[in-house]
Amino acid sequence: MKLTVLGCYAATPRTFTNPTSQVLEINNEVFLIDCGEGTQVELRRHKIKFGKIKHVFISHLHGDHFYGLIGLISTFMLLNRKTELHIYGPKGIKEIVLLQLKYANSWTGYPLYFHELSSTGPQVILNTRKVTVETIPLKHRIYANGYLFREKPKPRKLLMEEVEKYNIDVAYYKGIKKGKDAVLEDGRIIPNVELTEDPEPPESYAFCSDTSYTPSLAEQLENVTVLYHESTFLEEHAYLAAPTGHSTAREAAAIARAAKVSHLVLGHYSTRYESIEAFKKEANEVFDSVHLADDGKVLRFE
């Protein structure tokens, strides 16, 4: 699992920081999560191929999370994209995008599909051969969702020495990897456990963008491999968090601890702070495995 952080700061962009956007690569699937200003420039900078992006997930309709979307859609058109593009986001995103395309007379030459969200509970919105994606209802000033990406269980690994010892035809490999026993020509049954070993456990990634501290999230996030949770403020400014629909680093860590996740990634820092190291220090008082997102940072998890 690989996470490329294109931008992870709150509010307005600066010459050296970008608003929220990131690319998640999991089991060879590529997903764009949020699309703040400058996203397509950062995609170029990090040599992420535009054509690999087929699904874009927008958490909510505050500008620092989606104002880069229309530019990216338009660039796809200029590049003669033919592959369909799916946009997931709050109700209203379709109207916003189509209005801009209408008055620019710049309709896409590729299929553009909108999946508008309004559910206040978790909802599975994508189910591919390798990955499922479900919404994480968040508590912000406007309707907002995070997204939970779960890798589907991988097939069992063949123990080739054992398989070849019994001279099993390759035509049966697929079934064996799915857990079936092998039946030899002489009628003997070879238990699957003798022919395979357990695969690597499925990985999962939870993206919790702008949200006030919501302890109930821990139930849905239980045992997630990696949790990205916003940490706009430090505790010294905790009085600003709830009224603005945001969290502190300590609160993000409390969610991670309660959910028993493996790793916590902090982001969406207020630009009032000169250094982000204090966010890690504060979170580490509550939870051990804390990582700092930062623009251009690539995080790999195994």
Side-chain angles (χ1 to χ4, degrees):
M1 185 162 57
K2 175 183 175 184
L3 181 69
T4 303
V5 181
L6 306 178
C8 66
Y9 287 80
T12 57
R14 297 177 290 178
T15 57
F16 55 95
T17 64
N18 292 297
T20 304
S21 185
Q22 51 186 242
V23 173
L24 174 68
E25 298 178 48
I26 179 170
N27 204 349
N28 296 315
E29 300 260 18
V30 178
F31 303 107
L32 178 64
I33 310 171
D34 272 350
C35 192
E37 293 174 71
T39 293
Q40 61 177 315
V41 174
E42 294 305 310
L43 287 170
R44 292 287 200 198
R45 193 189 312 277
H46 295 286
K47 296 180 172 57
I48 296 170
K49 293 182 179 179
F50 285 10
K52 288 188 174 182
I53 298 172
K54 298 180 176 63
H55 302 276
V56 180
F57 298 87
I58 302 298
S59 61
H60 64 294
L61 297 180
H62 279 159
D64 56 327
H65 293 262
F66 87 104
Y67 277 174
L69 182 59
I70 186 62
L72 184 64
I73 289 172
S74 299
T75 295
F76 284 163
M77 176 188 63
L78 295 173
L79 294 175
N80 295 315
R81 180 188 179 105
K82 300 300 179 186
T83 309
E84 60 189 36
L85 181 67
H86 293 262
I87 310 290
Y88 305 79
K91 185 174 176 58
I93 194 167
K94 179 178 180 179
E95 179 183 4
I96 292 170
V97 171
L98 292 186
L99 191 64
Q100 294 176 89
L101 294 176
K102 173 184 175 181
Y103 284 104
N105 192 24
S106 298
W107 301 107
T108 65
Y110 57 89
L112 183 60
Y113 297 98
F114 293 90
H115 306 266
E116 293 194 307
L117 308 173
S118 57
S119 174
T120 56
Q123 176 186 11
V124 175
I125 56 175
L126 181 62
N127 188 358
T128 74
R129 188 170 59 86
K130 297 179 179 179
V131 177
T132 61
V133 184
E134 65 184 68
T135 58
I136 305 170
L138 301 177
K139 187 178 179 181
H140 193 42
R141 301 195 306 278
I142 61 173
Y143 178 78
N145 283 301
Y147 296 100
L148 176 53
F149 301 80
R150 291 189 185 276
E151 187 179 38
K152 290 185 176 179
K154 298 174 182 177
R156 297 185 62 78
K157 293 182 178 180
L158 290 177
L159 298 172
M160 291 307 301
E161 287 187 7
E162 296 299 313
V163 171
E164 291 172 355
K165 181 175 73 175
Y166 291 106
N167 198 28
I168 297 173
D169 192 281
V170 68
Y172 298 105
Y173 286 5
K174 187 174 182 180
I176 294 172
K177 288 197 289 186
K178 288 183 177 180
K180 293 183 179 180
D181 295 334
V183 181
L184 304 184
E185 292 183 0
D186 61 8
R188 283 183 296 157
I189 297 176
I190 310 301
N192 187 272
V193 69
E194 292 186 21
L195 303 172
T196 64
E197 62 182 358
D198 292 339
E200 296 175 359
E203 295 181 314
S204 51
Y205 176 73
F207 172 83
C208 289
S209 178
D210 300 21
T211 184
S212 57
Y213 178 53
T214 309
S216 59
L217 286 178
E219 182 177 352
Q220 186 181 3
L221 302 176
E222 188 174 8
N223 296 322
V224 161
T225 310
V226 180
L227 167 63
Y228 172 93
H229 195 291
E230 76 120 282
S231 54
T232 306
F233 299 108
L234 295 171
E235 279 298 306
E236 63 181 297
H237 296 112
Y239 64 91
L240 295 174
T244 58
H246 290 297
S247 301
T248 67
R250 182 182 296 275
E251 290 171 337
I255 296 291
R257 182 179 63 184
K260 302 180 180 67
V261 306
S262 299
H263 304 278
L264 170 65
V265 179
L266 300 177
H268 200 266
Y269 318 107
S270 168
T271 53
R272 72 182 62 232
Y273 303 105
E274 292 185 3
S275 170
I276 61 175
E277 290 300 321
F279 288 86
K280 186 176 189 300
K281 181 179 179 181
E282 183 172 287
N284 272 147
E285 295 174 359
V286 177
F287 187 75
D288 289 333
S289 184
V290 177
H291 308 263
L292 293 175
D294 204 357
D295 292 7
K297 195 169 186 177
V298 177
L299 298 168
R300 297 179 185 272
F301 302 94
E302 297 180 356

